[in-house]
Structures are given as structure tokens and as C-alpha cells.
Amino acid sequence: METAIERVRTGVPGLDHVLEGGFPRGARVLLSGGAGCGKTICCGQYLYKGATKFGEPGVYVTTEEPPSEFRANMLRFGWDFKKLEEDRKLGIVDAVYQRVESEITEQESLQSILYNLRSKLAEVKVLVEQLGAKRLIVDSLPGFGFRVTDLNTLREIFLEVGLLLKDVGTTTLMTTEIVEGSGLISRYGIEEFLATGVMVLSLVKQSSPLRKLFVRKMRGTSHSLNDFAFTIGREGMLVKGPIGVRSVSRGRRRLHATGRKRRGR
């Protein structure tokens, strides 16, 4: 008899329905998308709602923006991360330093990069244990390899991050960028190998901009292969219905109705 998979509520209205109730407990989910598509907002919402609604402390690892900027941006939605930190329901690890060091030092040795990375990841592990964190965000993976051009070095970096994620056992969201026109679902084409799930966010520029979410894979989950529209408003991210399905069903109803009329003649 198979054991039911425990689900972690996402805190994003509409998303749990797409994922059979939420993320599988312990999943490592890659959140891919271009700049400005809502990746950090989704991550912040997942952490904030986890801490305030579901009793699950979390840790946010930032490699892209200083923690002060992240806190300020999240306050737009009424999410007071500073208060959560004071209440020991959330912790933030500042890994932006790696980007600064990489800008100063043109080329670091692999040993130096891995030494600094392991030190920072050890800090993450300690904080997860101290808080009893159940949720973890890494925003973003490419930030750990900023200005590293050698793919073998990048693989070593991501391997170290992957080992940490398996060790701490949290339900984790990791972000990465999609380079427009690359045909890849991640910046380097290797980040997805760390993940048990992949969700792609996109912003389509039409007559009116349309935000879309697509679940590419989610281990242990029977998910839809449709694109889902989502919005970002004053209360954060909201996933709406599948794109295009409603119009298809209407078309079917029209076809059925036409058929009934013809049969009645």
C-alpha cells in the first residue's frame, strides 16, 4: 500500500489546486523565469504565509539584493519580514558578498570559490537548525556563480548547493533566470538537475501583458500541463484558471448545441 505524499501549502491562492494540494514535503523546486516575472514575490509569499499561517519557520538566502532591499520590497504587500526575524520565525542569510568579491577579483581559483561557498552554506545550515525551519529559499542559484564562465566550475558550485539542500531536508524554492532566446529553462541549463520540480514563470507582452505559470515537472504529483494565468496585486501572487481551456469548452458546447439543432430538424 502506497503512503500518501505529505503536501506543503504554498500560500499562493490557486497554486495548491494545480499541485494536488501543494509542494511535496522535502521537494526542491526550481522557479525559472525572466527578469520581472515575479519569482522573488512568489518566494517571499511562500515564506511569509508559511511562517504566519502554517506554523512553518523559514530561511531566505539572497545572492541578488541586500536583505534591506528585500524587506522593503516585501512590505509593499504588507509582509513584515523584520518582525518575523525578531520573532525567530524567519532568518535571512546575506550571500550578496560573493557577487561583490567576484567583481573585485577578476578570476578566483575553484578552491577559493568553494571554500567561501561552503562557509556560507554552513551558515545556512546552522540557521535552519536553530529556527527549526521547514522552508528555504535560494534566490538565486546563478548568484553563487556570478561571473564564473567555466561550466565545470559551475557544476561544482551547484553540486555543493545541492548537497546542502538534501542535507537540511527543507521544502525549498530556488530561482534562476531564463535568458530570452536561449531555448533553455534555466540560465546555464544545469540548475534543473538539482530540482525535483520545475515551475516556469513568464510575462507575455501582448496588447495587454499576461503573466503565465507552467509546471514543467513535479515529482510525485499529477499536475496539469496547461499554462495558468496569474496576477500580482496588493496581496501578492494569485493563480487563476488555465489559459485557453475555457474557450475550448465553450467551443464544444457550441458544437454540441449545433448538433442538437441539426438532429432536431
Side-chain angles (χ1 to χ4, degrees):
M1 184 176 178
E2 293 185 2
T3 305
I5 295 175
E6 185 181 357
R7 298 286 168 176
V8 175
R9 301 283 294 277
T10 66
V12 177
L15 184 54
D16 288 351
H17 177 71
V18 176
L19 299 173
E20 289 192 317
F23 299 124
R25 175 73 65 184
R28 300 178 300 278
V29 180
L30 183 68
L31 201 57
S32 299
C37 67
K39 300 186 296 296
T40 297
I41 294 170
C42 180
C43 290
Q45 191 163 344
Y46 170 68
L47 277 188
Y48 186 82
K49 298 298 182 180
T52 58
K53 290 186 65 176
F54 308 125
E56 294 195 348
V59 170
Y60 181 81
V61 182
T62 175
T63 69
E64 294 289 336
E65 61 181 353
S68 58
E69 290 184 14
F70 170 74
R71 295 186 192 101
N73 289 332
M74 294 300 101
L75 273 176
R76 300 166 44 205
F77 306 102
W79 305 336
D80 190 343
F81 275 77
K82 190 66 175 177
K83 178 69 163 55
L84 291 181
E85 291 173 79
E86 293 170 353
D87 293 342
R88 303 291 292 169
K89 294 180 180 179
L90 185 129
I92 297 180
V93 175
D94 182 359
V96 178
Y97 84 102
Q98 297 218 183
R99 296 174 63 93
V100 176
E101 285 191 354
S102 296
E103 290 171 2
I104 296 172
T105 306
E106 195 65 32
Q107 186 173 1
E108 295 179 276
S109 68
L110 174 59
Q111 290 75 20
S112 174
I113 292 171
L114 292 180
Y115 176 82
N116 290 330
L117 177 64
R118 287 166 183 157
S119 175
K120 186 57 63 173
L121 294 180
E123 181 183 336
V124 174
K125 182 178 180 181
V126 168
L127 188 55
V128 167
E129 292 172 349
Q130 288 177 343
L131 297 178
K134 303 297 183 183
R135 303 181 179 215
L136 176 65
I137 297 295
V138 179
D139 187 19
S140 69
L141 283 175
F144 281 118
F146 185 63
R147 289 188 67 169
V148 174
T149 57
D150 179 63
L151 277 179
N152 288 327
T153 302
L154 285 168
R155 288 190 182 96
E156 291 288 341
I157 290 171
F158 292 153
L159 175 61
E160 290 291 333
V161 176
L163 290 173
L164 168 83
L165 299 181
K166 289 181 180 179
D167 190 26
V168 297
T170 54
T171 307
T172 304
L173 296 187
M174 312 167 283
T175 70
T176 188
E177 290 182 3
I178 294 178
V179 179
E180 190 172 348
S182 68
L184 301 175
I185 61 168
S186 61
R187 185 174 187 84
Y188 299 112
I190 55 180
E191 297 95 311
E192 54 265 37
F193 295 106
L194 299 181
T196 57
V198 177
M199 299 197 311
V200 180
L201 304 184
S202 57
L203 178 60
V204 181
K205 297 178 182 178
Q206 300 175 330
S207 54
S208 59
L210 174 66
R211 298 183 185 273
K212 298 194 302 182
L213 176 146
F214 174 66
V215 181
R216 187 179 179 94
K217 77 170 184 177
M218 193 65 61
R219 191 170 298 170
T221 304
S222 178
H223 58 83
S224 170
L225 293 178
N226 286 309
D227 286 321
F228 286 82
F230 74 93
T231 58
I232 295 176
R234 287 183 297 178
E235 297 182 358
M237 182 176 176
L238 168 65
V239 176
K240 298 189 172 183
I243 298 171
V245 171
R246 192 170 299 172
S247 62
V248 171
S249 63
R250 284 174 181 165
R252 286 175 178 167
R253 284 198 294 270
R254 285 197 294 269
L255 286 172
H256 292 166
T258 303
R260 284 195 297 270
K261 287 180 180 178
R262 285 177 178 171
R263 283 193 297 270
R265 286 178 179 173

